[in-house]
Structures are given as structure tokens and as C-alpha cells.
């Protein structure tokens, strides 16, 4: 029903900012809740942020609250993750996901995934 493609990752210095984008195909983007997850080598995939269908409700992991902001533009079929004050521990592959449950922190409740974009933060 939907295909997702992430972009915007890169190699940055601690304290820098990045904005990730997730472009979705299809005409039903606005019917999906969206989430961002990340996975570092040797670690489990972890929840980062989520946003409901209309964009009015957002949810964050404690580790990124106050630094990251999730948003969406349904007219552009795109969800964003603005990342400020990046830390070394933010280094991971970042994935966007689409599902039916708003605010879910469980990867298993999302039905569609992008292939990821790498974020590397150096000190």
C-alpha cells in the first residue's frame, strides 16, 4: 500500500543538526501513523519518535526529547525528523515506518518500512 524512502543522513560533528526526510508513495499516506526508529551495530532497533495521522500528536523516546522533532506534510507525502544537538550515541541507521496505531513504540506494530539512512556523529 505504501513505499517509504529515507534521505538526509550523513557524517556530522557532535552538536550539529540534521533533518531526515521520508518520502512515501501512494495516495493513502494520510491514513497512516508514522514512526522513526534507529539501530546501531550490535544493538536492537529502538523507538525514536512517532506522529499521528493528522500530525497533531507527537511522541518521543526520553533519550531524544527536547532535541528531536517529528513532523509531517500530508500534501507532500513526507514525514521529517529534525535532529538538533546531536551526540555520539545518536549514531545509527535511521528508519521510518508506517502503521495503524498512533504513538506506538513497538516496531512490530508498523507494517511498512524504509531501507534506512545512516547518521554518524563524531566527537
Amino acid at each position: 500500500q505504501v513505499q517509504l524512502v529515507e534521505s538526509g543522513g550523513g557524517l556530522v560533528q557532535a552538536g550539529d543538526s540534521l533533518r531526515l526526510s521520508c518520502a512515501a508513495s501512494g495516495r493513502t499516506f494520510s491514513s497512516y501513523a508514522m514512526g522513526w526508529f534507529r539501530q546501531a551495530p550490535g544493538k536492537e532497533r529502538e523507538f525514536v519518535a512517532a506522529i499521528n495521522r493528522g500530525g497533531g500528536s507527537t511522541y518521543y523516546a526520553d533519550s531524544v526529547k527536547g532535541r528531536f522533532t517529528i513532523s509531517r506534510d500530508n500534501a507532500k507525502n513526507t514525514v521529517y525528523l529534525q535532529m538538533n544537538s546531536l551526540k555520539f550515541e545518536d549514531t545509527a541507521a535511521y528508519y521510518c515506518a508506517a502503521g495503524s496505531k498512533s504513538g506506538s513504540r513497538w516496531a512490530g506494530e508498523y507494517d511498512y518500512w524504509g531501507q534506512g539512512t545512516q547518521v554518524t556523529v563524531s566527537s
Side-chain angles (χ1 to χ4, degrees), residues 7-123:
S7 62
L11 174 63
V12 298
Q13 188 178 38
D16 284 352
S17 297
L18 278 175
R19 191 185 198 192
L20 306 183
S21 298
C22 176
S25 65
R27 63 180 181 85
T28 61
F29 175 73
S30 63
S31 70
Y32 293 98
M34 301 294 297
W36 285 97
F37 291 76
R38 66 187 183 187
Q39 188 168 24
K43 300 183 67 177
E44 298 295 314
R45 186 167 298 188
E46 66 174 339
F47 171 78
V48 176
I51 190 166
N52 74 332
R53 291 172 176 81
S57 298
T58 57
Y59 312 85
Y60 299 94
D62 288 343
S63 60
V64 306
K65 190 171 296 184
R67 299 189 297 121
F68 291 10
T69 302
I70 187 172
S71 62
R72 69 191 296 165
D73 186 340
N74 287 344
K76 294 182 178 293
N77 280 12
T78 303
V79 62
Y80 305 95
L81 185 68
Q82 177 67 44
M83 305 185 294
N84 298 329
S85 301
L86 283 162
K87 306 174 180 179
F88 173 78
E89 50 264 45
D90 295 319
T91 296
Y94 283 72
Y95 300 86
C96 70
S100 61
K101 301 202 72 171
S102 297
S104 179
R105 288 169 157 78
W106 180 41
E109 290 193 330
Y110 291 86
D111 300 312
Y112 302 96
W113 294 82
Q115 291 193 320
T117 185
Q118 180 67 36
V119 173
T120 302
V121 184
S122 65
S123 60

